[in-house]
């Protein structure tokens, strides 16, 4: 038997906010099952207690250590696309649900809750649009360059693509999205809480801060790894065009 079995859900989450997201993916929304023990909540949801305990005990705050600088550009893109998938399918729906279920009359935070419920869905909509646009334009273009360099691709088609894409424009546009959460920081007054702040709000703020940290890491990978590799790749393809022209 684990020491978590008889603990109340509210105490498990209060001990480690990451536990809230683990429980959420098992269908246990901590704010709806707060007074039940983990054992009782699992029984109510028809879950295997051992499986939930194992996942809770293995949850961690550690970030993945990936040597992306050594990866070829196609693998860097796959890494970034996987991160996009996690944002869209897991993190954003979870935080959206947390905010949606906040009590509108949260003492001392009524205006903050109202603003979050209005602004966060707009943030999500804009963020998802940006991600899909990035994958359909920038990532697609870079993969065309990569495949052409590997000998796969039509020279006239590649030349046309290069004429219609600008890495400098992509980089400039990307810089505009580097601080997407500025508005949310302003609403929450830099995620300011008091000792009396309710657990639900503390979890929301912790998840927003974690999201912001992950977005900064994501932007750093794009700015410091993807774009330098992309510019180098584009130069190499340009050089190959010049050589082909000389031979003809």
């Amino acid at each position: 038997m684990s020491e978590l079995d008889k603990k109340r859900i509210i105490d498990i989450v209060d001990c480690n906010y990451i536990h809230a997201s683990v429980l959420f993916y098992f269908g246990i929304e901590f704010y709806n099952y707060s007074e039940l023990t983990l054992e009782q909540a699992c029984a109510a949801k028809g879950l295997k207690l051992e499986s939930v305990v194992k996942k809770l005990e293995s949850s961690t705050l550690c970030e993945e250590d990936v040597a992306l600088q050594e990866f070829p550009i196609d693998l860097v893109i796959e890494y970034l696309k996987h991160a996009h998938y996690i944002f869209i399918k897991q993190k954003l729906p979870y935080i959206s649900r947390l905010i949606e279920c906040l009590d509108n009359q949260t003492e001392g935070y009524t205006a903050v809750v109202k603003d979050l419920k209005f602004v966060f869905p707009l943030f999500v909509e804009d963020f998802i649009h940006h991600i899909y646009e990035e994958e359909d334009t920038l990532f697609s273009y870079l993969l065309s360059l990569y495949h052409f360099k590997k000998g796969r691709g039509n020279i006239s088609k590649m030349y046309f693509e290069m004429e219609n894409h600008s890495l400098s424009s992509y980089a400039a546009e990307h810089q505009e999205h580097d601080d997407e959460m500025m508005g949310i920081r302003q609403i929450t007054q830099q995620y300011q809480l008091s000792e009396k702040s309710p657990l639900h709000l503390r979890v929301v703020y912790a998840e927003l801060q974690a999201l912001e940290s992950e977005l900064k890491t994501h932007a750093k990978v794009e700015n410091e790894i993807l774009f330098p590799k992309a510019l180098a790749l584009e130069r190499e393809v340009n050089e190959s065009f010049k050589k082909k022209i000389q031979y003809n």
Side-chain angles (χ1 to χ4, degrees):
M1 180 181 290
S2 167
E3 63 178 21
L4 292 174
D5 294 5
K6 302 297 182 183
K7 270 193 172 184
R8 294 183 308 164
I9 297 296
I10 193 171
D11 296 325
I12 292 173
V13 173
D14 196 28
C15 172
N16 183 345
Y17 297 156
I18 298 298
H19 289 158
S21 61
V22 175
L23 292 168
F24 177 82
Y25 292 118
F26 279 105
I28 301 173
E29 295 169 327
F30 75 92
Y31 39 85
N32 290 331
Y33 295 84
S34 59
E35 294 304 318
L36 295 183
T37 65
L38 180 61
E39 187 176 45
Q40 291 170 333
C42 286
K45 298 294 291 185
L47 298 167
K48 288 184 67 174
L49 178 62
E50 297 79 9
S51 299
V52 179
V53 168
K54 184 177 180 181
K55 193 68 176 177
L56 286 169
E57 290 179 339
S58 66
S59 62
T60 175
L61 283 166
C62 295
E63 288 188 6
E64 203 174 316
D65 183 19
V66 183
L68 289 171
Q69 190 65 57
E70 308 303 318
F71 287 8
I73 196 166
D74 62 324
L75 292 185
V76 175
I77 289 172
E78 284 306 310
Y79 172 87
L80 291 168
K81 286 172 73 173
H82 177 69
H84 287 174
Y85 177 85
I86 298 299
F87 284 135
I88 292 173
K89 298 297 184 181
Q90 295 182 16
K91 295 185 182 296
L92 293 177
Y94 170 57
I95 299 173
S96 294
R97 181 65 176 164
L98 281 176
I99 291 173
E100 179 186 331
C101 292
L102 276 169
D103 184 352
N104 290 331
Q105 303 304 317
T106 302
E107 187 176 351
Y109 296 94
T110 304
V112 172
V113 169
K114 180 182 177 182
D115 288 345
L116 278 177
K117 289 189 175 188
F118 176 74
V119 169
F120 194 73
L122 298 177
F123 162 78
V124 170
E125 183 179 353
D126 181 65
F127 181 75
I128 291 176
H129 173 76
H130 167 68
I131 279 178
Y132 285 145
E133 186 176 45
E134 183 175 73
E135 291 189 1
D136 291 342
T137 53
L138 175 62
F139 288 3
S140 178
Y141 171 57
L142 296 182
L143 288 173
S144 292
L145 288 172
Y146 176 77
H147 291 144
F148 183 82
K149 185 190 170 189
K150 293 291 183 181
R152 303 192 299 272
N154 179 279
I155 187 169
S156 58
K157 183 180 178 183
M158 189 70 257
Y159 181 80
F160 178 78
E161 281 200 56
M162 292 181 74
E163 286 291 301
N164 285 276
H165 290 84
S166 167
L167 286 179
S168 59
S169 295
Y170 287 133
E173 182 183 345
H174 191 261
Q175 292 291 338
E176 293 176 8
H177 284 83
D178 272 0
D179 197 5
E180 296 139 311
M181 294 188 68
M182 181 189 298
I184 291 171
R185 285 202 308 277
Q186 291 172 343
I187 289 172
T188 60
Q189 296 182 352
Q190 308 297 323
Y191 309 110
Q192 187 175 346
L193 292 165
S194 70
E195 292 181 1
K196 295 182 179 180
S197 300
L199 178 61
H200 192 154
L201 194 68
R202 279 186 275 144
V203 172
V204 168
Y205 278 26
E207 288 295 336
L208 288 172
Q209 286 177 286
L211 175 64
E212 182 167 359
S213 176
E214 289 161 7
L215 289 177
K216 285 179 179 177
T217 299
H218 191 75
K220 187 175 181 181
V221 169
E222 292 189 328
N223 292 334
E224 298 182 11
I225 298 176
L226 180 68
F227 279 113
K229 285 180 180 289
L231 289 166
L233 177 61
E234 192 177 54
R235 283 195 298 270
E236 290 172 11
V237 173
N238 255 322
E239 287 300 316
S240 73
F241 279 156
K242 291 176 183 178
K243 289 178 182 177
K244 288 180 185 295
I245 291 170
Q246 288 174 354
Y247 291 140
N248 291 332

